């Protein structure tokens, strides 16, 4: 509320930027989730055929993706002199390590349920290794910053849209994704700030996102389709068409979400252009406060 009053009051640009750039703490939480046999329905996203395969695919890409993000940021860590950003980098790495570990546990359970998570994991590893062989470290960092914006926008959609939360029902997957989402929002600007600090250009940043925006969408569509073809339920035409119809109204592909993704290619853009302070305060209390729903998951 203080920020809202400040920006409406016409405070100096310098002071506004100083307040706006106050960063949330980035620290890794020691947390564990479990998925006992029989605890998840085959189509765990409220029985929705297509969304279950999309979420399973995204989860399968996370472990190798998180490792790539860590390597991309760590490559430049020694060049960072700002103590706050150095602290943010350490928190970022700790969070991403934990994300990778927890998604590996979920992915193993999804594999047992019939999703091709192991194959997607191997393919992601090969693709990212090819990126690192053929592209410069700065371009890999630009890719990381772009994908971190993608995940932060999806994460904040989950945290702000009740329809998105309702899709996941009361399962352990919902709990894990809410935790993942709050940490993605906490560290959403770290890779971006490192990229700027080491001299990454606006041109490279913008063009990287334009390419990523296309390839990310095509990748999800292709592999979700391949996964669906291996699911006997997808050959039930009524169920499949109903699932496709629901996807058109998904909160994750709303106009607001697409606009936030496009905003990244605007010159002068920064992830902190949208204030997430109140969002983080609310969900930190909701998940990890005195009566937080995930306090029993903390180690």
């Amino acid at each position: 509320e203080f920020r809202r009053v400040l920006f409406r009051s016409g405070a100096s640009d310098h002071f506004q930027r100083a307040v706006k750039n106050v960063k949330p703490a980035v620290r890794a939480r020691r947390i564990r989730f479990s998925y006992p046999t029989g605890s998840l329905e085959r189509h765990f996203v409220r029985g929705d055929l297509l969304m279950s395969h999309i979420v399973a695919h995204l989860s399968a890409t996370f472990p190798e993706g998180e490792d790539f993000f860590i390597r991309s940021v760590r490559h430049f860590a020694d060049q960072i002199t700002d103590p706050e950003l150095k602290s943010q980098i350490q928190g970022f790495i700790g969070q991403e390590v934990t994300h990778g570990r927890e998604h590996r546990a979920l992915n193993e359970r999804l594999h047992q349920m019939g999703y091709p998570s192991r194959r997607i994991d191997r393919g992601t590893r090969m693709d990212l290794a090819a990126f690192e062989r053929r592209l410069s470290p700065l371009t890999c960092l630009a890719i990381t910053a772009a994908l971190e914006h993608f995940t932060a926008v999806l994460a904040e959609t989950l945290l702000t849209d009740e329809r998105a939360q309702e899709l996941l029902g009361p399962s352990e997957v919902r709990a894990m994704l809410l935790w993942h989402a709050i940490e993605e929002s906490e560290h959403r600007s770290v890779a971006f700030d490192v990229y700027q600090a080491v001299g990454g250009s606006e041109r490279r940043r913008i063009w990287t996102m334009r390419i990523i925006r296309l390839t990310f969408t095509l990748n999800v569509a292709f592999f979700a389709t391949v996964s669906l073809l291996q699911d006997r339920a997808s050959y039930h035409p009524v169920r499949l068409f109903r699932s496709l119809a629901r996807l058109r109204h998904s909160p994750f592909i709303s106009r607001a979400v697409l606009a936030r993704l496009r905003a990244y290619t605007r010159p002068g853009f920064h992830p902190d252009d949208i204030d997430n302070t109140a969002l983080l305060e609310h969900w930190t209390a909701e998940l990890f406060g005195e009566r937080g729903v995930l306090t029993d998951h903390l180690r």
Side-chain angles (χ1 to χ4, degrees):
E1 183 62 29
F2 166 72
R3 291 186 182 198
R4 202 174 297 122
V5 172
L6 172 69
F7 287 103
R8 287 176 179 172
S9 68
S12 71
D13 290 344
H14 177 77
F15 187 53
Q16 287 186 18
R17 283 194 297 272
V19 173
K20 181 179 177 180
N21 290 331
V22 173
K23 301 286 188 179
V26 178
R27 62 179 182 84
R29 296 172 177 87
R30 299 179 63 188
I31 195 166
R32 289 278 185 179
F33 298 88
S34 62
Y35 312 93
T37 300
S39 63
L40 295 177
E41 296 181 10
R42 174 68 171 90
H43 301 110
F44 57 96
V45 183
R46 283 292 193 190
D48 189 285
L49 181 64
L50 187 53
M51 281 302 297
S52 296
H53 282 271
I54 290 174
V55 173
H57 166 71
L58 291 174
S59 181
T61 67
F62 277 132
E64 291 298 329
E66 309 285 21
D67 288 349
F68 173 80
F69 297 165
I70 291 169
R71 292 192 299 271
S72 298
V73 170
R74 185 177 274 158
H75 182 90
F76 294 95
D78 290 344
Q79 299 181 33
I80 303 302
T81 57
D82 177 67
E84 182 182 359
L85 184 52
K86 288 176 76 72
S87 175
Q88 296 265 325
I89 290 171
Q90 289 304 309
F92 169 85
I93 291 172
Q95 287 186 344
E96 296 291 52
V97 167
T98 310
H99 296 174
R101 183 194 70 209
E102 291 305 309
H103 275 280
R104 283 187 173 92
L106 172 58
N107 294 341
E108 187 57 28
R109 186 72 194 92
L110 292 175
H111 167 76
Q112 295 167 7
M113 291 164 61
Y115 291 93
S117 52
R118 288 183 180 175
R119 187 167 69 249
I120 294 169
D121 179 76
R122 289 194 298 269
T124 303
R125 185 187 313 125
M126 293 172 60
D127 289 344
L128 295 176
F131 287 170
E132 291 176 293
R133 285 195 306 270
R134 298 171 184 172
L135 303 174
S136 70
L138 190 58
T139 298
C140 288
L141 182 59
I143 292 171
T144 295
L147 287 172
E148 281 291 320
H149 181 64
F150 252 98
T151 54
V153 170
L154 296 178
E156 290 175 4
T157 300
L158 175 60
L159 296 175
T160 56
D161 195 311
E162 291 183 0
R163 295 174 303 154
Q165 296 159 31
E166 179 64 22
L167 281 173
L168 298 171
S171 72
E172 187 81 338
V173 175
R174 179 184 188 274
M176 193 268 271
L177 291 180
L178 285 172
W179 155 75
H180 191 163
I182 192 174
E183 293 198 345
E184 286 296 329
S185 187
E186 286 172 346
H187 71 231
R188 66 183 183 179
S189 64
V190 174
F192 190 101
D193 287 342
V194 173
Y195 177 79
Q196 287 193 324
V198 298
S201 69
E202 283 283 87
R203 183 175 184 275
R204 187 194 303 254
R205 177 183 71 78
I206 290 170
W207 274 103
T208 298
M209 175 52 100
R210 286 174 176 165
I211 295 169
I212 289 294
R213 201 163 59 199
L214 175 63
T215 57
F216 180 91
T217 304
L218 292 176
N219 181 279
V220 172
F222 175 78
F223 284 102
T225 300
V226 171
S227 184
L228 277 167
L229 291 173
Q230 299 173 40
D231 187 340
R232 293 178 63 183
S234 66
Y235 293 92
H236 190 296
V238 174
R239 186 173 182 184
L240 178 61
F241 289 138
R242 284 178 177 172
S243 184
L244 286 168
R246 283 193 293 270
L247 182 64
R248 292 178 54 198
H249 304 287
S250 169
F252 294 105
I253 56 173
S254 67
R255 290 183 179 180
V257 168
L258 297 178
R260 281 197 67 184
L261 292 175
R262 286 194 299 269
Y264 190 94
T265 58
R266 185 183 68 243
F269 167 86
H270 192 279
D272 294 336
D273 288 343
I274 293 181
D275 184 13
N276 65 351
T277 307
L279 184 67
L280 292 177
E281 288 175 351
H282 168 78
W283 280 103
T284 298
E286 183 77 13
L287 300 181
F288 303 110
E290 185 177 347
R291 298 183 180 180
V293 297
L294 294 186
T295 52
D296 61 332
H297 287 61
L298 295 172
R299 302 296 178 92

